[in-house]
Amino acid sequence: RGLFIMSSPSEGIEYLSNHVDIHATSFQIAIASIIFNPLFWNIVARTEYRNHFLTKLFFGQKYVACYFLAATIFCLGLLRDKLFADALLDQPVLPLLDTRAVHFFAYVLYAFGSILVVTSMWKLGVTGTYLGDYFGILMEERVTGFPFNFMNDPMYNGSAILFLAHSLESKSPAGLVITIVVYIVYRVALMFEGPFTSHIYALRDAKRQSNRTKNITAAKNKSS
């Protein structure tokens, strides 16, 4: 029987549990990778912000240091995606998802998620995408064009949508479970990243305002 015609929630949960092997090593490694990545880049970025250890490592070249972190995060993302795909190969499939409608929906999600991720990166650039703020590489103004005028956090949302698309295309309930984990991990990451990034820009704006005030005061004193 299908998942949506179960006689009780407990029967549905049992049916689902038969299609998700949480004890599979590949499943656990994929989950660990998904949790590790944002933890890693937030710890490294905040450490860089406080003591500039990466910038010092690259002889004061903050752009080079940021590109290095960007390349590291990108490679970790590729590894995470590979571990995710491999994990689904070890999981049971759900025949209920083996329909033309589901496959078509998966392809739509592939396209939509890719558009969100690619256009986000295009708008932000390398330093805007990969935590350049923590290196002192700040954007002059907030990005407001598509996809940022369409939704908040389009890159994270686009990434989660791509996980969902691959899970549906693979007919994998385990993939759907991992997608939920991805979404939760991103939400938690944003709880730390959002306020901290706002704090960085608030300090920048306060410093600029202070400098303007000093310049105005100095000009008045000079004219008098």
Side-chain angles (χ1 to χ4, degrees):
R1 287 189 294 172
L3 178 62
F4 299 110
I5 56 174
M6 293 295 162
S7 60
S8 68
S10 60
E11 189 177 352
I13 293 173
E14 182 182 357
Y15 180 82
L16 244 179
S17 66
N18 291 332
H19 292 81
V20 180
D21 182 7
I22 63 174
H23 301 292
T25 301
S26 58
F27 179 87
Q28 296 172 355
I29 291 175
I31 293 289
S33 174
I34 288 163
I35 295 172
F36 171 79
N37 282 12
L39 187 64
F40 166 80
W41 72 58
N42 272 286
I43 290 175
V44 171
R46 290 201 181 202
T47 304
E48 165 63 24
Y49 178 76
R50 292 190 176 97
N51 60 36
H52 311 294
F53 81 105
L54 277 177
T55 299
K56 292 175 182 176
L57 182 65
F58 288 96
F59 307 102
Q61 300 297 316
K62 62 182 179 181
Y63 279 90
V64 176
C66 183
Y67 292 150
F68 172 78
L69 180 60
T72 303
I73 294 172
F74 183 78
C75 291
L76 285 172
L78 293 178
L79 176 61
R80 174 205 61 197
D81 293 346
K82 177 66 165 57
L83 293 172
F84 169 66
D86 289 346
L88 298 198
L89 295 177
D90 295 335
Q91 293 289 326
V93 298
L94 186 64
L96 182 69
L97 298 176
D98 192 13
T99 67
R100 289 184 178 180
V102 171
H103 288 302
F104 176 77
F105 185 52
Y107 292 138
V108 171
L109 291 178
Y110 272 129
F112 182 50
S114 297
I115 289 172
L116 290 178
V117 170
V118 172
T119 54
S120 295
M121 293 184 68
W122 179 264
K123 284 288 186 179
L124 293 173
V126 174
T127 57
T129 300
Y130 293 103
L131 305 165
D133 321 272
Y134 294 74
F135 291 81
I137 307 169
L138 305 183
M139 304 185 75
E140 284 302 314
E141 56 187 29
R142 185 181 181 88
V143 177
T144 56
F146 183 86
F148 295 92
N149 59 356
F150 179 72
M151 67 167 62
N152 293 325
D153 313 310
M155 182 167 292
Y156 280 158
N157 289 332
S159 178
I161 288 170
L162 290 174
F163 276 89
L164 175 59
H166 191 71
S167 300
L168 292 175
E169 176 60 20
S170 302
K171 306 178 289 292
S172 175
L176 299 178
V177 172
I178 293 175
T179 299
I180 293 172
V181 173
V182 169
Y183 182 79
I184 293 173
V185 167
Y186 282 163
R187 293 301 105 186
V188 172
L190 284 168
M191 290 171 59
F192 291 92
E193 292 174 14
F196 199 80
T197 301
S198 297
H199 171 70
I200 292 173
Y201 279 90
L203 287 178
R204 190 272 304 270
D205 293 341
K207 184 176 181 180
R208 284 182 173 179
Q209 184 58 42
S210 176
N211 289 337
R212 289 193 196 101
T213 302
K214 289 178 180 178
N215 291 336
I216 292 172
T217 302
K220 287 181 177 179
N221 292 336
K222 185 176 181 181
S223 62
S224 61

